[in-house]
Amino acid sequence: MLQTASAEHSSEPEVVRVNVLSAFSTPQERELLYSFKQSLLSQHNMKVDDTLIFWERQNNWQQQLESNKPDLIIVIGNQSYRKIEELELSAPVLALMLNKSLFKSLKQNSRNNVYAITHAQPTVRFVQLAKSLNVYQAQIGSFISPKTKYNIQRFEELSKFYDLFYRPVMVDPKLKGRDTMKQLKNCCSVIVMESDCVFRPGKVRKSVLVNAYRQRIIVIAHSQSVLKEGAMLTLFTQPHDIGEQAAQLYHQILSGTLQEPYQFPTSFAVSINRKVARLLGYEELTVGGLMQKVEALEFIHKTMVNGNNQTP
C-alpha cells in the first residue's frame, strides 16, 4: 500500500507558473497556448498555471509581470516584445510569433535569458518549394528593398545549391509599384514574397500580385492572407505547432539541452490558391506532394551542410 501511494504521488505533474503578455486575446493565441500547455503536460508531466496579462487593457501590466514569481514569461507578437525589451526581468522570457526582421535583429543581438520562436519561414524553405514545382528552366526572384539587401547573398547561395537561377527585384521606396511591375516582365518564373518587409498589405501589393499573374509568374508567399490576394502558394506554420515547439524549447532550457535559443518553425504547411493554379496550368498540384518534396529537399540540404553524404 505504501509503495502504491508513493508511486501515485510521484506521478503528479510539476506545476509551472507562466505569465503571458499580449495586447489582447485572439483565437490564434488561444490555440497556441492550449498546445503549449497540452504538450508540456502530455510529454513532460508539467502542468501550466498561466496568468494572462493584456497590456492594452491593464495599466498595471508591468507590475504584474513578476508579481507572482513566474517560472516563465511568454510574450506574443512584436508589440508585446517591444514592451519588455528594456525591462530587467528575472524569469526567462520566451518571445513567440515575432516577424522575421525583429527575429533576425534579436538573433544578431542576443540577450541573456531571452528566447524566441518566429512564425516566419526560413528562406531555404521558400527556395525548396520553388524547386519542388519542377518548373522548366526555373528562374526565381525576390523583392529586395534597401532594408533587405542582406537577403541577396542568401538567395544566390541557395539558388546555386538547387541549380536555379536567381534575380533580385530591387524595389525603390519612392516608386514601389510602378518600378516593380516594370521589372517583373523580365524577372523570373517564380517569385518569393517571404515577408511584409518590402510590401505591406494594401493596394500596391495587390497590384503587384495581379501583374505577376498577368506575366504568368508563380508567387510563393508567407501567409494565407497573401494567398487570398492572388499568390498561388503560401508557406506557413499553424499556431498549435508553434505552441508545441515552444513547449519543447522550454523543456530544453530546464534540462540544459538547448542548442538554439532563437528558432524558426520546425514544421510547416502549404496552401494552394486553386483558382490561380488552374489558370497558370498547375491544377494537378497537391499539398501532400509538395510537402513531401520540400521535406526531402530539407533532408538533403541538412545532410550535405553537415558533411554527411548519405542519401534519403
Side-chain angles (χ1 to χ4, degrees):
M1 290 292 291
L2 289 174
Q3 289 180 347
T4 302
S6 177
E8 290 177 353
H9 180 73
S10 63
S11 66
E12 291 182 2
E14 176 187 352
V15 177
V16 179
R17 291 188 300 275
V18 179
N19 286 353
V20 182
L21 179 69
S22 64
F24 47 83
S25 180
T26 66
Q28 293 79 11
E29 177 184 314
R30 292 193 290 272
E31 181 182 343
L32 186 158
L33 293 175
Y34 178 80
S35 174
F36 174 77
K37 291 188 286 187
Q38 287 298 109
S39 297
L40 277 183
L41 183 61
S42 62
Q43 298 177 30
H44 306 294
N45 200 33
M46 301 170 73
K47 183 178 180 181
V48 174
D49 178 10
D50 59 331
T51 301
L52 305 181
I53 304 170
F54 303 115
W55 52 262
E56 272 202 349
R57 303 174 185 174
Q58 298 168 256
N59 294 329
N60 64 338
W61 65 266
Q62 191 168 328
Q63 289 72 32
Q64 292 189 57
L65 273 181
E66 292 193 297
S67 60
N68 61 342
K69 297 181 180 180
D71 300 298
L72 175 69
I73 295 174
I74 291 178
V75 296
I76 300 179
N78 280 31
Q79 288 181 296
S80 297
Y81 177 73
R82 293 296 190 192
K83 292 287 184 181
I84 61 97
E85 193 170 19
E86 303 301 325
L87 300 181
E88 292 292 337
L89 300 169
S90 57
V93 173
L94 177 51
L96 303 177
M97 305 300 284
L98 302 183
N99 68 23
K100 185 170 282 188
S101 59
L102 179 55
F103 175 77
K104 286 191 173 183
S105 175
L106 181 58
K107 193 171 183 178
Q108 291 168 0
N109 303 282
S110 59
R111 294 178 56 193
N112 289 332
N113 227 22
V114 174
Y115 311 87
I117 300 175
T118 177
H119 61 285
Q121 304 300 309
T123 302
V124 63
R125 201 167 280 161
F126 286 99
V127 179
Q128 289 161 347
L129 181 55
K131 180 70 174 179
S132 299
L133 292 169
N134 294 325
V135 178
Y136 177 67
Q137 293 183 335
Q139 298 176 324
I140 66 170
S142 68
F143 298 115
I144 301 293
S145 72
K147 293 182 178 180
T148 60
K149 283 186 177 180
Y150 60 85
N151 278 338
I152 294 178
Q153 183 178 358
R154 180 64 174 153
F155 268 110
E156 288 176 340
E157 292 171 350
L158 291 169
S159 299
K160 185 177 181 180
F161 182 89
Y162 289 109
D163 194 26
L164 299 169
F165 173 79
Y166 170 72
R167 178 178 175 179
V169 177
M170 306 304 295
V171 177
D172 186 328
K174 296 180 181 179
L175 302 170
K176 273 189 177 182
R178 287 176 294 170
D179 187 50
T180 301
M181 285 184 269
K182 287 179 182 178
Q183 295 182 67
L184 280 177
K185 185 175 181 180
N186 301 311
C187 167
C188 48
S189 51
V190 181
I191 196 154
V192 171
M193 187 178 285
E194 62 170 341
S195 71
D196 289 330
C197 290
V198 178
F199 289 110
R200 300 194 65 77
K203 292 182 179 180
V204 174
R205 189 166 81 179
K206 287 182 179 179
S207 297
V208 170
L209 288 167
V210 169
N211 197 66
Y213 163 72
R214 289 173 178 168
Q215 300 294 338
R216 302 194 65 77
I217 298 171
I218 296 168
V219 178
I220 301 176
H222 62 287
S223 72
Q224 289 180 291
S225 62
V226 190
L227 195 75
K228 296 175 183 178
E229 294 172 4
M232 192 178 98
L233 296 167
T234 184
L235 271 172
F236 62 100
T237 298
Q238 299 283 7
H240 65 81
D241 289 324
I242 297 290
E244 185 174 347
Q245 186 174 340
Q248 298 306 319
L249 189 153
Y250 180 58
H251 183 260
Q252 290 167 5
I253 294 171
L254 295 178
S255 61
T257 59
L258 182 65
Q259 296 182 347
E260 180 51 66
Y262 305 105
Q263 302 179 0
F264 280 101
T266 53
S267 61
F268 68 95
V270 174
S271 282
I272 303 172
N273 184 322
R274 289 294 176 187
K275 180 179 179 181
V276 174
R278 183 175 67 253
L279 293 173
L280 291 180
Y282 291 89
E283 57 187 333
E284 294 184 3
L285 282 180
T286 65
V287 168
L290 286 175
M291 289 186 65
Q292 286 180 355
K293 290 178 182 178
V294 172
E295 288 167 351
L297 291 171
E298 277 192 323
F299 179 86
I300 293 170
H301 187 262
K302 287 177 180 177
T303 53
M304 292 190 71
V305 167
N306 293 333
N308 188 337
N309 293 322
Q310 293 181 3
T311 56

